[in-house]
Amino acid sequence: MTSLTLRRPDDWHVHLRDGAALAAVLPFTAAQFGRAIVMPNLSVPITTTALAEGYRSRIRAALPKGAHFEPLMTLYLTDSTTAQEIDRAKAAGFVHGVKLYPAGATTHSNAGVTDLGRLSGVFAAMESAGMPLLVHGESTAAGVDVFDREQVFLDQELAPLCTRFPGLKVVVEHITTAHAVDFVRGARAGIAGTITPQHLLHNRNALFTGGIRPHYYCLPILKRERDRQALLAAAISGNPRFFLGTDSAPHERGAKESACGCAGMFTAHAALELYAEAFESAAHLDRLEGFASHFGADFYALPRHADQVTLVKQNWTAPATYGFGAGRLVPYRAGENISWRLAKGAGP
Ligand code: NCD
Ligand code: ZN
């Protein structure tokens, strides 16, 4: 196949940051996707509808001229989130999910939740409002191995929560293991999972190829080859519980190439192209449209887009860096070949 036309896709999990960083990365996402679920983990987390409204305005103001892109806002759940805030968010109309970061699990998660048991009123309000819970599913317990954190969280925390609130919509975000694939596939109705391009394309060996590779470090961390294969099988399966969420998470070069480097991979410059590579590797490009453009919209009860994008089979070399405010951003595949390219002029 040399070209592939599909309904315009959405990114159901992205980090757009703020200020100069936002201005640097937003055009990449807006060029490909019609909408994106925007993560709330700014240095001052987006914990209220009022903060989400301000952030949404800044995103819209940073859009390139002529772009048709809708940021779908999220709230950052804390120990002190109230049911009233959920009702406010629902009434506002532009908040599409509430993000659960276990405290300390990842970048800017210090304000996250320490005890799910204390938030019953909030989960009940979300359940009745039809407000999805977006989960960074990793245990932060000190004794849990970094490669087991997802499994432990799903089994010990998320499974009981899903039982206690049987009508709560839940997205297990950026799933990374065969265990999480089974969890989502076998769960009750209303539970879905997003999958990143890096977890479809790499196993954890990528972190250590010839030396330590900070640009392959993200959370949840890359897992074993059998996990990658299970994720790829889920993505191409046509099961609507699995859909696209890049988790593109830019950090300035110095923050990655450091003695204590940040977690996060920047993939937004080639997001759809990377998914196309993964689906092509499994001989199922025909399943990309459902995964990228249908199932997420259906889960979030939003209309599928009316327009289309076209990918062409064409080699190009990703730049070594992009501008990123006063610094530089090293993209995934920096200086390396990417074998698909979004056709120019595909916009609405
Ligand atoms: C994200 C970030 O940098 O904000 N990093 C990452 O590795 N994915 C946070 C997150 O989603 O865990
Ligand atoms: Zn993320």
Side-chain angles (χ1 to χ4, degrees), residues 13 15 17 39 41 99 101 105-108 136 138 174 198 217-220 247 249-251 262-265:
H13 180 131
H15 298 267
R17 312 305 192 203
M39 287 297 117
N41 65 329
K99 176 74 189 214
Y101 289 105
T106 186
T107 306
H108 293 149
H136 183 109
E138 287 198 288
H174 43 55
Q198 65 265 27
Y217 178 52
C218 64
L219 287 173
D247 197 17
H251 292 273
C262 291
M265 291 169 62

Side-chain angles (χ1 to χ4, degrees), residues 1 23 41 46 54 59 79 90 159 163 172 188 205 227 234 243 282 285 310 331 336:
M1 202 180 287
N41 65 329
I46 303 297
I59 295 167
D79 286 342
K90 182 68 185 179
T163 304
V172 193
R188 63 157 170 80
N205 286 355
D227 295 307
F243 49 83
L285 276 171
T310 298
E336 292 174 33

